[in-house]
């Protein structure tokens, strides 16, 4: 039986390439995790804006695959948000393929999702240095919750998809954020009071 690894705490936002990487990392850290959708970040202007906002407010950790494509994405985001707002986490280049894939990648290297948990955690700790393990600062005021999304008409109600899209576009945020990503992003960027007032003004106009 494998040893249970201690959850890594950080206030920085963790950027990974795909959903399988995110699912893997969600068991190793309590960081907010966002995806680049591979090279999709190149064309997604709203997600680029979100990355910039979070990079300036909290800082980012970049954890991409160890192949050439991963380094291209890493360089692009670093240039996008500014090197001073980023720490770089590197997984070792290990030959192999993920269990879910029929064929290995172009360079025959494991992606982040296929690297051993202990190595991924060590990569994050090495990148964070003295920051590693420091509990995230709790924002002032109360947290924005799923219930708030419902009460604002952004989730679970008639017309909620349209209201959500309208609000996110007005705020310059990606309209495809999941409910979990939405709540995390709102809590990083706004207080409950700020967003309550903003959504009222923006959605009633």
């Amino acid at each position: 039986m494998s040893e249970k690894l201690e959850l890594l705490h950080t206030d920085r936002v963790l950027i990974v390439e795909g959903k399988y990487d995110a699912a893997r990392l969600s068991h190793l850290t309590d960081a907010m995790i966002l995806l680049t959708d591979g090279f999709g970040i190149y064309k997604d202007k709203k997600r680029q804006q979100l990355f910039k906002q979070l990079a300036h407010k909290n800082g980012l950790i970049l954890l991409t695959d160890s192949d050439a494509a991963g380094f291209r994405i890493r360089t692009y985001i670093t240039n996008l948000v500014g090197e001073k707002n980023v720490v770089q986490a590197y997984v070792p280049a290990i030959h192999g393929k993920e269990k879910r894939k029929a064929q290995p990648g172009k360079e025959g290297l494991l992606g982040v999702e296929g690297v051993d948990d202990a190595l991924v955690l060590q990569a994050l700790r090495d990148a964070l240095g003295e920051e590693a393990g420091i509990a995230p600062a709790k924002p002032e005021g109360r947290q924005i919750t799923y219930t708030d999304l419902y009460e604002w008409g952004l989730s679970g109600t008639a017309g909620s998809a349209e209201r959500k899209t309208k609000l996110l576009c007005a705020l310059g945020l990606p309209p495809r954020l999941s409910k979990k990503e939405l709540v995390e992003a709102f809590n990083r960027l706004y207080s409950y009071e700020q967003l309550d007032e903003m959504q009222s003004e923006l959605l009633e106009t």
Side-chain angles (χ1 to χ4, degrees), residues 35-201:
L35 315 181
T36 72
D37 288 330
F39 291 126
I41 187 62
Y42 289 6
K43 295 182 179 180
D44 192 336
K45 300 300 182 185
K46 292 219 165 92
R47 190 162 290 257
Q48 290 175 22
Q49 183 59 33
L50 177 60
F51 283 12
K52 287 179 184 178
Q53 287 178 273
L54 292 170
H56 286 274
K57 190 173 178 65
N58 297 96
L60 305 183
I61 314 173
L62 294 186
L63 182 64
T64 62
D65 292 348
S66 56
D67 59 8
F71 273 82
R72 282 174 60 194
I73 292 168
R74 182 188 295 276
T75 300
Y76 179 82
I77 295 172
T78 300
N79 292 335
L80 176 74
V81 305
E83 188 175 358
K84 68 180 186 299
N85 300 310
V86 175
V87 295
Q88 309 283 351
Y90 301 97
V91 292
I94 300 172
H95 286 274
K97 75 173 185 66
E98 290 76 17
K99 292 179 181 178
R100 68 181 178 85
K101 295 181 179 178
Q103 300 292 332
K106 186 176 179 181
E107 296 178 35
L109 300 174
L110 288 176
V112 168
E113 64 170 290
V115 176
D116 183 75
D117 286 352
L119 292 176
V120 173
L121 276 174
Q122 190 58 53
L124 293 174
R125 290 195 180 102
D126 288 346
L128 289 166
E130 294 181 357
E131 291 181 33
I134 297 175
K138 293 184 178 179
E140 294 182 8
R142 81 165 180 78
Q143 292 277 282
I144 296 162
T145 66
Y146 292 146
T147 302
D148 295 324
L149 299 187
Y150 176 82
E151 291 180 348
W152 290 332
L154 302 175
S155 175
T157 59
S160 59
E162 291 79 7
R163 288 174 65 85
K164 172 187 167 186
T165 298
K166 182 179 178 181
L167 178 63
L168 292 181
C169 286
L171 295 174
L173 296 176
R176 291 177 55 212
L177 288 177
S178 69
K179 190 162 72 168
K180 181 175 184 291
E181 289 175 331
L182 189 60
V183 167
E184 289 184 324
F186 281 164
N187 276 312
R188 295 279 179 156
L189 297 172
Y190 309 105
S191 68
Y192 167 80
E193 291 76 18
Q194 285 176 323
L195 194 59
D196 187 44
E197 182 177 349
M198 290 166 67
Q199 68 81 28
S200 178
E201 293 175 352

Side-chain angles (χ1 to χ4, degrees), residues 5-42:
L5 297 166
E6 185 178 350
L7 198 69
L8 180 71
H9 303 291
T10 177
D11 197 36
R12 288 181 180 266
V13 178
L14 178 58
I15 306 297
V16 297
E17 291 183 51
K19 64 181 181 180
Y20 294 102
D21 299 329
R24 177 70 181 284
L25 270 293
S26 67
H27 301 293
L28 302 177
T29 177
D30 58 6
M32 178 183 182
I33 303 172
L34 290 175
L35 315 181
T36 72
D37 288 330
F39 291 126
I41 187 62
Y42 289 6

